[in-house]
């Protein structure tokens, strides 16, 4: 069955004490909830992962990293490897986020390496894709997303592909307050599912989780999540306050 997910991408926010408080608040709120077939994932910055995985042991959320380096160890100052994440019981890792593509010039090929490395260490990749505004205006958004999937994801064998979570995040919607309409999200999610069906199988396309991300908040989450191919959200700004994040979880 297709897994529903609400994941909070904290990005580069929160001090240690603030992180501790937010994790505790989310854990407490989730305690009272019945989350059958819904995974809640917190993706704090690297220094707070251990704090989060420690609390997660007794709580109803999982922990994800926001980035990873594709080698297992070595002279890569400042980087964090998949075995390090796995050894801290980190279950998910975001890759291909548009901010990493833009500010750190991460290529399709580099992302493919990260993806393979994560899968080798049994960490679930949350693979982000999405077009920038001029590409949408030029009606190239389907082509752009198809290329991102083709070049970083579709080399995977079927059993590995089945482990991947995809997040459609139109770049023009990220942090802008201008979310994609539910129709725009549904249209792209259905397109992605169609590509997976063509490349792999109908069964796999049906089973894969596709999240929407980009200015998703407590007000618009329900209308997005109600769409048949939207299986939850990757939440940035609105994941930084427990109350709003939990309201989004409740919208699923
Ligand atoms: P946003 O970010 O919710 O703040 O738009 C989403 C994301 O970048 O994952």
């Amino acid at each position: 069955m297709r897994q529903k997910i609400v994941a909070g991408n904290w990005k580069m926010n929160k001090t240690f004490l603030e992180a501790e408080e937010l994790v505790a608040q989310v854990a407490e709120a989730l305690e009272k909830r019945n989350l059958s077939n819904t995974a809640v994932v917190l993706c704090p910055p690297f220094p707070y992962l251990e704090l989060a995985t420690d609390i997660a042991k007794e709580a109803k959320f999982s922990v994800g990293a926001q980035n990873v380096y594709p080698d297992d160890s070595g002279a890569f100052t400042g980087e964090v490897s998949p075995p390090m994440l796995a050894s801290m019981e980190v279950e998910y890792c975001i890759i291909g986020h548009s901010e990493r593509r833009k500010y750190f010039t991460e290529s399709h090929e580099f992302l493919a390496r990260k993806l393979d490395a994560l899968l080798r260490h049994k960490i679930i990749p949350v693979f982000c894709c999405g077009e920038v505004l001029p590409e949408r205006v030029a009606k190239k958004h389907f082509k752009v997303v198809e290329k991102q999937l083709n070049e970083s994801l579709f080399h995977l064998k079927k059993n590995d592909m089945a482990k991947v979570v995809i997040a459609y995040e139109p770049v023009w919607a990220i942090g802008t307050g201008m979310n994609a309409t539910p129709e725009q999200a549904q249209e792209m999610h259905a397109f992605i599912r169609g590509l997976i069906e063509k490349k792999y199988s109908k069964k796999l396309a049906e089973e894969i989780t596709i999240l929407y991300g980009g200015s998703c908040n407590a007000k618009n989450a329900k209308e997005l999540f109600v769409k048949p191919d939207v299986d939850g959200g990757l939440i940035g700004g609105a994941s930084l306050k427990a109350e709003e994040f939990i309201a989004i979880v409740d919208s699923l």
Side-chain angles (χ1 to χ4, degrees):
M1 190 158 59
R2 211 189 287 172
Q3 165 99 80
K4 304 245 180 211
I5 299 176
V6 174
N9 173 12
W10 292 9
K11 310 192 181 183
M12 197 176 69
N13 291 295
K14 303 286 178 191
T15 62
F16 184 77
L17 287 181
E18 289 165 351
E20 214 172 18
E21 190 182 4
L22 181 52
V23 174
Q25 286 169 343
V26 171
E28 192 191 336
L30 292 178
E31 201 41 53
K32 303 173 198 119
R33 284 164 169 80
N34 175 17
L35 297 170
S36 59
N37 196 36
T38 299
V40 177
V41 183
L42 300 186
C43 305
F46 284 136
Y48 313 146
L49 284 174
E50 209 264 337
L51 147 78
T53 54
D54 209 31
I55 296 178
K57 282 182 198 129
E58 309 281 316
K60 296 180 178 171
F61 67 85
S62 302
V63 178
Q66 297 174 20
N67 185 31
V68 72
Y69 194 79
D71 282 7
D72 283 2
S73 64
F76 299 100
T77 302
E79 293 300 308
V80 173
S81 73
M84 292 176 183
L85 296 179
S87 71
M88 289 192 298
E89 291 168 56
V90 170
E91 291 178 62
Y92 294 80
C93 182
I94 299 169
I95 58 166
H97 193 282
S98 63
E99 287 148 18
R100 300 233 36 113
R101 291 178 193 262
K102 181 177 172 193
Y103 302 125
F104 304 95
T105 55
E106 294 191 358
S107 66
H108 298 303
E109 189 200 0
F110 191 51
L111 296 177
R113 282 180 57 206
K114 289 186 181 206
L115 196 84
D116 294 342
L118 288 171
L119 289 167
R120 265 201 312 279
H121 292 278
K122 302 190 170 27
I123 298 169
I124 301 168
V126 179
F127 179 81
C128 303
C129 57
E131 79 286 357
V132 296
L133 190 57
E135 290 165 342
R136 178 160 282 263
V137 171
K139 300 194 176 9
K140 289 186 182 147
H141 44 296
F142 293 118
K143 278 230 147 7
V144 168
V145 169
E146 183 168 1
K147 187 174 167 69
Q148 290 170 337
L149 299 181
N150 264 333
E151 307 224 342
S152 300
L153 210 54
F154 282 174
H155 64 285
L156 292 179
K157 296 226 162 61
K158 203 178 193 175
N159 62 333
D160 272 339
M161 186 62 191
K163 296 170 192 150
V164 174
V165 171
I166 295 175
Y168 170 56
E169 298 207 308
V171 183
W172 46 270
I174 296 177
T176 59
M178 191 172 77
N179 61 290
T181 64
E183 292 69 31
Q184 287 171 324
Q186 168 58 28
E187 191 184 27
M188 183 58 87
H189 287 219
F191 173 73
I192 293 171
R193 234 180 266 291
L195 293 176
I196 297 167
E197 180 176 341
K198 227 187 304 168
K199 173 82 190 166
Y200 297 93
S201 71
K202 190 171 175 61
K203 184 168 178 289
L204 183 56
E206 275 305 311
E207 282 174 1
I208 217 145
T209 297
I210 308 179
L211 308 179
Y212 168 78
S215 297
C216 182
N217 56 37
K219 286 203 184 75
N220 59 30
K222 211 177 206 121
E223 60 185 30
L224 286 157
F225 296 169
V226 87
K227 291 293 177 190
D229 288 303
V230 179
D231 307 315
L234 180 55
I235 318 298
S239 71
L240 296 173
K241 288 201 183 108
E243 205 179 314
E244 174 143 33
F245 184 62
I246 294 297
I248 297 171
V249 173
D250 287 341
S251 307
L252 202 56

